[in-house]
Amino acid sequence: DTGVSQDPRHKITKRGQNVTFRCDPISEHNRLYWYRQTLGQGPEFLTYFQNEAQLEKSRLLSDRFSAERPKGSFSTLEIQRTEQGDSAMYLCASTASRVGADTQYFGPGTRLTVL
Amino acid sequence: DAKTTQPNSMESNEEEPVHLPCNHSTISGTDYIHWYRQLPSQGPEYVIHGLTSNVNNRMASLAIAEDRKSSTLILHRATLRDAAVYYCILRSAAGGYQKVTFGTGTKLQVIP
């Protein structure tokens, strides 16, 4: 499968624990995005990488959240001291640099439940 | 970001055509119109995009109004697998990075 993959698909954790999610984009895509989606809402932008550089972070991304993309390949999203409000689907998408017409390819998401 | 407006939900009978509308009255001349859909428990998937002319692909057709202030996604024969949330979004061709802003989309129910 050459699509975007995410791991794990589901994560249940207790409040206060740290969690880390991984995204493997399509190999030739240099742009990578993280989104968060809660029930009944569309995906909300969290952060964006071009190669290994994190170029934008949403105000939704509090200081408990950190994302990395070492070497411009896979990316990780870490949430420290999780809260119940962090429960959501975390989506990763990648795209090649084709402005305006660039198609975002999404992974299946990681569903986080914080108890 | 230029905004789009879609109905919250629509219904269609199986094997009938479906027309999903989207209003984008503040669209700029360099904005592309993209459609994505999200099946239950999956990430969004690309459906189609266009700039000015109508577009067809194996999944759907996109009809763009002459003034570009609205567009319609057309599924020619709805199947049960088309039941999903459909998002209409705008992407600028102006250059540089662009954040993608999704609204709440249109939830399509297909009735057998």
Side-chain angles (χ1 to χ4, degrees):
Chain A
D1 188 342
T2 56
V4 178
S5 61
Q6 291 187 246
D7 185 68
R9 294 291 306 277
H10 303 274
K11 179 72 178 178
I12 300 173
T13 191
K14 292 183 179 176
R15 192 175 53 185
Q17 299 293 304
N18 299 345
V19 293
T20 300
F21 309 141
R22 177 178 169 125
C23 170
D24 285 272
I26 294 172
S27 59
E28 62 268 26
H29 286 182
N30 62 342
R31 294 185 175 182
L32 186 147
Y33 303 78
W34 284 99
Y35 295 85
R36 182 175 72 183
Q37 185 174 27
T38 53
L39 204 60
Q41 302 297 312
E44 296 173 289
F45 169 80
L46 291 179
T47 191
Y48 157 70
F49 288 86
Q50 181 156 319
N51 300 312
E52 65 276 7
Q54 187 174 21
L55 297 185
E56 184 167 347
K57 291 169 61 172
S58 162
R59 278 172 287 187
L60 290 173
L61 219 63
S62 75
D63 56 5
R64 296 184 298 105
F65 287 71
S66 62
E68 294 183 338
R69 193 182 181 198
K71 303 177 185 177
S73 56
F74 72 91
S75 176
T76 58
L77 178 68
E78 181 183 15
I79 309 174
Q80 295 183 326
R81 305 181 302 281
T82 52
E83 301 173 357
Q84 286 183 324
D86 297 331
S87 294
M89 175 79 86
Y90 290 83
L91 293 161
C92 174
S94 71
T95 184
S97 298
R98 290 183 57 214
V99 174
D102 67 330
T103 298
Q104 295 213 342
Y105 294 86
F106 284 82
T110 294
R111 181 165 295 285
L112 172 67
T113 302
V114 181
L115 302 175
Chain B
D1 297 333
K3 202 172 170 178
T4 62
T5 306
Q6 300 177 254
N8 287 335
S9 63
M10 290 185 66
E11 275 184 8
S12 172
N13 292 320
E14 196 176 8
E15 309 224 340
E16 290 189 357
V18 183
H19 292 232
L20 298 164
C22 180
N23 286 323
H24 28 79
S25 57
T26 59
I27 191 170
S28 77
T30 56
D31 285 340
Y32 282 80
I33 302 156
H34 285 240
W35 284 81
Y36 286 78
R37 73 179 185 181
Q38 187 171 22
L39 282 70
S41 302
Q42 295 188 26
E45 66 172 338
Y46 166 80
V47 178
I48 199 166
H49 76 277
L51 184 62
T52 55
S53 304
N54 295 345
V55 184
N56 299 299
N57 67 20
R58 63 174 181 82
M59 288 180 74
S61 296
L62 176 60
I64 301 173
E66 201 168 326
D67 64 5
R68 301 206 330 121
K69 292 187 176 181
S70 65
S71 61
T72 302
L73 180 71
I74 302 165
L75 306 179
H76 295 287
R77 288 180 68 203
T79 69
L80 296 177
R81 288 175 293 180
D82 292 322
V85 178
Y86 287 79
Y87 297 99
C88 166
I89 61 173
L90 302 179
R91 305 297 313 281
S92 173
Y97 157 70
Q98 312 142 59
K99 184 174 70 179
V100 179
T101 301
F102 287 83
T104 52
T106 297
K107 184 172 184 177
L108 175 66
Q109 279 188 286
V110 179
I111 302 165

